[in-house]
Amino acid sequence: MRTRSGALIDDDLKIDLPPDTYMQALRDGVELSKVRSLFITHTHADHYYLHELAMLFPPFAHDGPALRIFGDRWAIEGILQTFPNWPQRENLYTIEAYQKIEVDGAEVWSLRAAHYPSRGALNYVVRRGGRTLLYGMDSGWFPDDSWAAQKEFRFDAVILDCTHGAIPAGAYHGGIDSVIATKERMLQEGTATEDTVFVANHFSHNGGLLHEELEERLSPHDILVAYDGMVLEV
Ligand SMILES: [Zn+2]
Ligand SMILES: [Zn+2]
């Protein structure tokens, strides 16, 4: 079963708000009220179900915590258009690629993704407690400026777009081929080591492979295949 992709880091830092978020929280026993920061990668509907944000405020909730939301201008403008009376405007942050943001003991860097050409999309690097994660979805092969920016980091975990599965990667989504090639390049560049955990995620049915079939092709390269509810210790 594949619901739409997002991530929760340490209970309080969320990446993306897919339309399945509420079901995922019920299924996995996640307390979304602990989330203090939400980073939006881009405004495609599978990552950005902003109507759910209404549940934070009256008449649906009355003691909602402050939630900081970070996203590009499309993401933030979309919130303000949908909720003209958004009660926490000071917690909406419009960001661009190659910014560094500090929240609750975490450092977050935004990278430009190869995705959604008419609006653009962001990938995120999150560092907390001395551990560094690259959330590389959605994106095709990373743009040169992203590769250059990544050289500052040594990732402990890397999550990559494998939408196309067995079909060759496209300009705006990855596949098995680009996931393997990305790992090889990161090892060459020293942004990853043999200890870095690589995870492929964001699978489309068009890729034509079941979970086990993806594992057959990716596990020889020591790349994990994500599944719903996956918990990763970084
Ligand atoms: Zn997308
Ligand atoms: Zn997507």
Side-chain angles (χ1 to χ4, degrees):
M1 184 177 292
R2 293 168 179 163
T3 61
R4 286 158 282 194
S5 303
L8 176 65
I9 299 169
D10 297 336
D11 293 339
D12 65 334
L13 199 158
K14 183 95 181 70
I15 299 179
D16 284 339
L17 191 67
D20 302 312
T21 303
Y22 180 58
M23 180 278 289
Q24 292 165 343
L26 294 177
R27 181 195 62 198
D28 299 330
V30 168
E31 275 189 60
L32 289 174
S33 61
K34 292 181 178 172
V35 173
R36 291 291 176 273
S37 303
L38 170 64
F39 289 83
I40 302 292
T41 59
H42 64 297
T43 54
H44 279 155
D46 55 326
H47 298 258
Y48 179 71
Y49 184 62
L50 55 81
H51 299 281
E52 195 72 16
L53 292 170
M55 300 304 140
L56 284 168
F57 301 115
F60 305 105
H62 300 275
D63 52 358
L67 176 71
R68 287 167 297 219
I69 303 177
F70 301 85
D72 63 17
R73 71 179 182 89
W74 301 99
I76 301 302
E77 281 174 11
I79 292 170
L80 290 172
Q81 280 164 13
T82 305
F83 305 106
N85 299 316
W86 185 261
Q88 297 179 2
R89 277 179 182 243
E90 69 281 9
N91 287 325
L92 298 179
Y93 298 88
T94 303
I95 60 172
E96 297 175 359
Y98 309 112
Q99 277 186 240
K100 180 183 175 187
I101 300 120
E102 297 193 36
V103 286
D104 300 324
E107 297 168 293
V108 181
W109 290 264
S110 53
L111 305 177
R112 191 167 69 88
H115 191 70
Y116 205 175
S118 61
R119 290 190 173 191
L122 300 171
N123 298 143
Y124 291 108
V125 176
V126 181
R127 181 185 288 159
R128 190 186 246 170
R131 309 294 283 174
T132 307
L133 166 80
L134 170 62
Y135 192 80
M137 307 187 310
D138 295 357
S139 187
W141 187 253
F142 294 132
D144 288 343
D145 43 304
S146 174
W147 281 111
Q150 290 175 35
K151 287 187 177 173
E152 291 181 40
F153 301 103
R154 181 169 292 178
F155 301 121
D156 297 291
V158 176
I159 301 175
L160 295 170
D161 183 323
C162 195
T163 305
H164 287 222
I167 298 168
Y172 307 123
H173 277 298
I176 289 172
D177 53 356
S178 65
V179 168
I180 293 169
T182 298
K183 178 175 179 178
E184 284 171 2
R185 178 163 170 172
M186 287 182 169
L187 289 172
Q188 278 169 13
E189 294 194 343
T191 52
T193 70
E194 294 298 332
D195 295 327
T196 302
V197 176
F198 280 82
V199 182
N201 197 2
H202 197 282
F203 307 109
S204 161
H205 56 281
N206 295 310
L209 297 180
L210 299 172
H211 181 80
E212 293 75 15
E213 294 168 324
L214 284 162
E215 281 189 325
E216 275 169 28
R217 296 171 195 225
L218 286 166
S219 54
H221 301 273
D222 211 7
I223 296 167
L224 300 174
V225 177
Y227 51 88
D228 271 52
M230 184 182 201
V231 176
L232 203 61
E233 194 99 14
V234 179

